[in-house]
């Protein structure tokens, strides 16, 4: 029997989506408003999901206090109120799309969560657009 626990978190960040090898016109055509050279912000909503067996002594899949702290330290402190392109090294040469941000977050958290627990990340870039990644 496995149970999934979820923790919600939030950060605001700016980004610009573009491909250096394309013309401005093609970038504008593919990325729309997200190609704005002067950047723009999103209110990102993050859901971190951890799946595993219930520990018989605690009744927990994972101690949520610890999960909260890991997300605060590793994600919120690194990403909140940042320009992702300019200030977060992972995106120096990686387009900060919701897809790529979700993969980066998953990779960071995977290092901090016991390997016997399954991890998946859901990232909302807008209330209607969101992506999920579980390491596959
Ligand atoms: Ni955008």
């Amino acid at each position: 029997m496995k149970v999934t626990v979820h923790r919600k978190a939030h950060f605001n960040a700016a980004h610009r989506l573009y491909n250096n090898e394309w013309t401005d016109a093609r970038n504008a055509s593919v990325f729309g408003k997200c190609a704005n050279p002067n950047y723009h912000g999103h209110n990102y909503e993050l859901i971190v999901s951890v799946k595993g067996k219930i520990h018989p002594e605690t009744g927990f899949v994972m101690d949520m206090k610890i999960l909260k702290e890991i997300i605060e330290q590793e994600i919120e402190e690194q990403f909140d109120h940042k320009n992702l392109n300019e200030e977060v090294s992972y995106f120096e040469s990686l387009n900060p799309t919701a897809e790529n941000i979700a993969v980066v977050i998953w990779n960071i958290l995977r290092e901090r969560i016991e390997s016997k627990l399954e991890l998946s990340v859901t990232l909302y870039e807008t209330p209607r657009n969101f992506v999920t990644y579980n390491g596959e």
Side-chain angles (χ1 to χ4, degrees):
M1 180 183 72
K2 287 185 175 178
V3 176
T4 307
V5 298
H6 307 270
R7 171 78 193 176
K8 285 185 178 179
H10 176 83
F11 57 92
N12 302 108
H15 77 167
R16 180 194 184 199
L17 301 183
Y18 66 103
N19 184 323
N20 275 330
E21 297 184 355
W22 294 353
T23 62
D24 287 349
R26 187 170 176 199
N27 273 297
S29 154
V30 171
F31 296 120
K33 288 180 179 173
C34 281
N36 175 10
N38 294 319
Y39 303 97
H40 62 280
H42 290 282
N43 297 315
Y44 291 96
E45 295 288 347
L46 174 65
I47 301 170
V48 176
S49 305
V50 176
K51 183 176 175 184
K53 292 183 176 161
I54 298 174
H55 193 285
E57 288 178 319
T58 59
F60 293 159
V61 170
M62 179 176 180
D63 186 332
M64 295 299 265
K65 293 188 298 299
I66 292 172
L67 182 59
K68 172 179 183 264
E69 282 168 14
I70 292 171
I71 296 168
E72 280 174 0
Q73 288 167 13
E74 301 286 350
I75 309 302
E76 292 174 302
E77 284 178 23
Q78 315 302 325
F79 288 49
D80 190 37
H81 286 69
K82 296 287 172 64
N83 177 320
L84 298 177
N85 302 74
E86 298 285 330
E87 295 178 285
V88 180
S89 60
Y90 298 101
F91 303 107
E92 221 167 284
S93 58
L94 180 68
N95 221 8
T97 59
E99 291 89 331
N100 281 330
I101 298 168
V103 171
V104 163
I105 289 173
W106 187 92
N107 284 327
I108 293 169
L109 295 178
R110 186 67 276 182
E111 297 280 307
R112 297 290 311 273
I113 291 168
E114 278 185 278
S115 58
K116 68 180 181 188
L117 298 171
E118 296 170 41
L119 173 66
S120 89
V121 156
T122 301
L123 183 70
Y124 283 77
E125 188 172 75
T126 73
R128 291 169 192 266
N129 293 345
F130 60 98
V131 304
T132 63
Y133 182 61
N134 67 6
E136 282 177 9

